[in-house]
Amino acid sequence: MCMCIAAICLYLNRPSFRSQVRIVAITMAFRFTILAALLAAASAFTPAQQAGRTDISLNADMSKSIPFLTRPEKLDGSMAGDMGFDPMGLSEIQADLKYARWAELKHGRISMLAILGMVVQSSGFHVPGEAYQVDDPFAAVSSVGWIVNMQIFMGIAGVELATFNKHYGEGEPGDLGWNTPNLLAGMSADEIAWRKEQEIVHCRLAMIAITGAAVQYLLYGHLGF
């Protein structure tokens, strides 16, 4: 598994591949601009919708994030960070949203660690050793060697195996039972709810940030300007 990841990262780190990525990105941006212009022109010839034929009930709850769409049924605001954002209707194909919230929190926490590590590495701080002086995360996979990659993989596998059953239980999504230290001790229900809201917001921001940072490394080979 780790060898496959290393091979992929080596391919992504090739200068020729990065040049191709830049060309594709520019081409896609140009095509998107042309498509948007065509859609805008076509909408000018679309007849106005009659008020009596609207499908949206005046009494329907509207989404907080997309005010012109109705709120999905399962996004009732009971979960922290629920803004009624589900334009693709993904919540309708799940029995409940606990597994989805588990996945969101897990990816968000990993993303917070990842973007922090990328910023620290790019700032010039490195652990001792020649193999750990590489800023590029795609090139770093090969520079640290397969032993380090195997240690990381085994650590991830251990956490996944230890917490696998929690994903399908009736407990609180994201609660791994690691209360050392217990930072929620002595807090009121409102304070705990506020901190859950802050965590999911930072998780979502970190997922966007790590995606942008990865794209920037592929396009320019460094983080920042």
Side-chain angles (χ1 to χ4, degrees):
M1 177 68 179
C2 292
M3 298 301 295
C4 293
I5 295 175
I8 294 173
C9 290
L10 285 173
Y11 178 79
L12 295 177
N13 196 46
R14 295 171 54 192
S16 59
F17 176 78
R18 290 186 172 179
S19 299
Q20 295 174 4
V21 171
R22 294 191 187 98
I23 296 174
V24 171
I26 295 173
T27 303
M28 291 181 64
F30 178 75
R31 291 179 178 177
F32 178 79
T33 303
I34 296 299
L35 179 60
L38 292 175
L39 291 176
S43 64
F45 298 94
T46 303
Q49 184 179 16
Q50 297 180 5
R53 299 182 61 182
T54 180
D55 293 329
I56 300 177
S57 173
L58 295 178
N59 296 324
D61 292 335
M62 307 305 292
S63 170
K64 293 181 180 179
S65 58
I66 313 178
F68 53 85
L69 294 180
T70 56
R71 175 184 60 81
E73 181 180 358
K74 294 179 182 178
L75 301 182
D76 55 3
S78 59
M79 284 188 171
D82 183 1
M83 296 298 175
F85 183 80
D86 188 19
M88 298 181 63
L90 299 179
S91 62
E92 302 301 325
I93 62 177
Q94 302 183 54
D96 59 61
L97 300 180
K98 287 188 176 181
Y99 184 83
R101 174 48 57 93
W102 260 107
E104 185 177 23
L105 284 170
K106 181 182 294 185
H107 286 84
R109 290 167 178 173
I110 294 173
S111 296
M112 286 191 285
L113 292 173
I115 191 63
L116 176 63
M118 292 178 72
V119 172
V120 170
Q121 287 281 94
S122 299
S123 66
F125 178 80
H126 303 274
V127 297
E130 183 179 355
Y132 307 104
Q133 307 305 308
V134 180
D135 294 341
D136 192 329
F138 299 101
V141 175
S142 59
S143 67
V144 298
W146 70 272
I147 296 180
V148 175
N149 285 300
M150 186 60 65
Q151 291 175 348
I152 296 173
F153 176 77
M154 294 300 295
I156 295 173
V159 174
E160 288 293 315
L161 291 174
T163 61
F164 179 78
N165 291 332
K166 294 181 178 292
H167 293 70
Y168 303 96
E170 296 298 329
E172 178 72 20
D175 185 5
L176 299 175
W178 297 353
N179 297 323
T180 51
N182 188 0
L183 301 177
L184 300 180
M187 293 186 182
S188 64
D190 291 338
E191 290 175 331
I192 294 176
W194 185 82
R195 279 161 176 76
K196 289 180 180 179
E197 187 89 15
Q198 293 301 303
E199 181 185 26
I200 195 64
V201 169
H202 284 84
C203 282
R204 292 166 179 171
L205 179 61
M207 286 188 282
I208 297 174
I210 193 65
T211 302
V215 171
Q216 192 167 23
Y217 264 111
L218 287 174
L219 291 177
Y220 307 109
H222 62 86
L223 188 64
F225 300 98

